[in-house]
Amino acid sequence: MPRLSSDPNLSICPDYVEVVYADAWLQLTNQNIDEAQAIIILRNIWLTGNNTDKAQWQNQVEEDAERHQHLEHLHEEEQERQDQDRIDEEEAARKEDRKKNKFKYTSIPGLDVPMKPVIIPSAYAIRKLDKGDYVKLWYFTNAGLDDAKLKSSVDEDAMVMATLAGGDTAWVSAASTQNANIVVDDQNLTFEDFCQACPRIIKAM
């Protein structure tokens, strides 16, 4: 059945009384049917056809609505699939980035900013403490900490040319050539150095 292009509900029945429809009357009139009856027949024929068109139009509207709903459903499914593909790609990219840049995603502990300088004694003093051996307090005085900081700035593997006691030259460790402060015995420490060193060594222990 051909598709209707206009709504038959908006159609108006022609006025078959007008002269322009006279040929239609004549085709229906005979000895038993006069012009008035012919006009009624024409109206009934039009109404029957219009009712048929209305029923077809309603079916057509429902089919169009169903087709439109189906297309919208397909579009939504396709959009959801594309969104999920994008989410999966982004998640895969994040996982790959986490593997390549682990430190980038390392959580930062919620610690307060230190208000006091960090005390770092010499590696020698730390090793002695770890072994439980006696360590002189001098290593925890300001002079001892300054000496440790100075030595830590020199590469232990670096070598320099030095003149030995006999006048000969030789390659020696750069760390051994530093002018380190003389280690002071505990009993020879000043009261000020003693007060500095005691809390530091206790905290290190």
Side-chain angles (χ1 to χ4, degrees):
M1 184 177 294
R3 181 180 175 83
L4 297 178
S5 59
S6 60
D7 185 356
N9 292 285
L10 303 178
S11 299
I12 299 175
C13 180
D15 187 1
Y16 290 108
V17 178
E18 295 180 1
V19 179
V20 293
Y21 297 105
D23 290 340
W25 306 340
L26 294 175
Q27 293 180 18
L28 295 175
T29 56
N30 53 44
Q31 59 183 1
N32 297 317
I33 300 175
D34 57 18
E35 293 181 357
Q37 292 174 324
I39 292 173
I40 293 174
I41 293 173
L42 289 173
R43 287 175 178 172
N44 290 337
I45 292 173
W46 185 91
L47 289 173
T48 300
N50 182 254
N51 289 333
T52 301
D53 290 344
K54 287 180 179 178
Q56 180 183 345
W57 179 263
Q58 182 62 31
N59 292 333
Q60 187 173 294
V61 169
E62 292 175 356
E63 290 175 357
D64 290 346
E66 184 178 352
R67 185 181 301 107
H68 179 71
Q69 185 178 4
H70 179 65
L71 291 175
E72 280 191 343
H73 181 67
L74 292 178
H75 177 72
E76 290 175 357
E77 287 184 343
E78 178 62 20
Q79 187 64 43
E80 290 178 359
R81 186 190 65 79
Q82 293 179 3
D83 292 343
Q84 187 60 46
D85 288 345
R86 186 179 67 257
I87 293 173
D88 292 342
E89 290 176 0
E90 292 175 353
E91 181 63 24
R94 280 194 294 269
K95 289 182 179 179
E96 185 65 23
D97 189 52
R98 285 178 180 272
K99 291 180 180 178
K100 294 181 178 179
N101 305 287
K102 293 182 179 179
F103 295 106
K104 178 180 177 182
Y105 297 93
T106 302
S107 59
I108 301 175
L111 301 177
D112 296 333
V113 177
M115 303 303 294
K116 296 181 180 180
V118 179
I119 305 301
I120 304 177
S122 67
Y124 168 79
I126 293 176
R127 285 195 298 269
K128 296 283 282 184
L129 287 176
D130 288 342
K131 293 179 180 179
D133 295 340
Y134 165 72
V135 183
K136 292 184 178 180
L137 290 174
W138 176 86
Y139 289 102
F140 293 88
T141 64
N142 289 344
L145 295 176
D146 290 341
D147 182 67
K149 185 184 298 183
L150 179 63
K151 288 183 177 179
S152 66
S153 64
V154 178
D155 186 355
E156 294 182 356
D157 296 329
M159 303 295 289
V160 296
M161 184 67 72
T163 302
L164 303 179
D168 297 331
T169 59
W171 289 101
V172 297
S173 171
S176 65
T177 63
Q178 298 181 85
N179 295 322
N181 293 310
I182 299 175
V183 179
V184 180
D185 293 333
D186 292 350
Q187 63 271 22
N188 295 327
L189 289 176
T190 64
F191 181 74
E192 182 180 359
D193 287 340
F194 183 82
C195 292
Q196 293 170 353
C198 283
R200 291 171 180 170
I201 193 172
I202 291 173
K203 187 175 182 179
M205 294 170 61

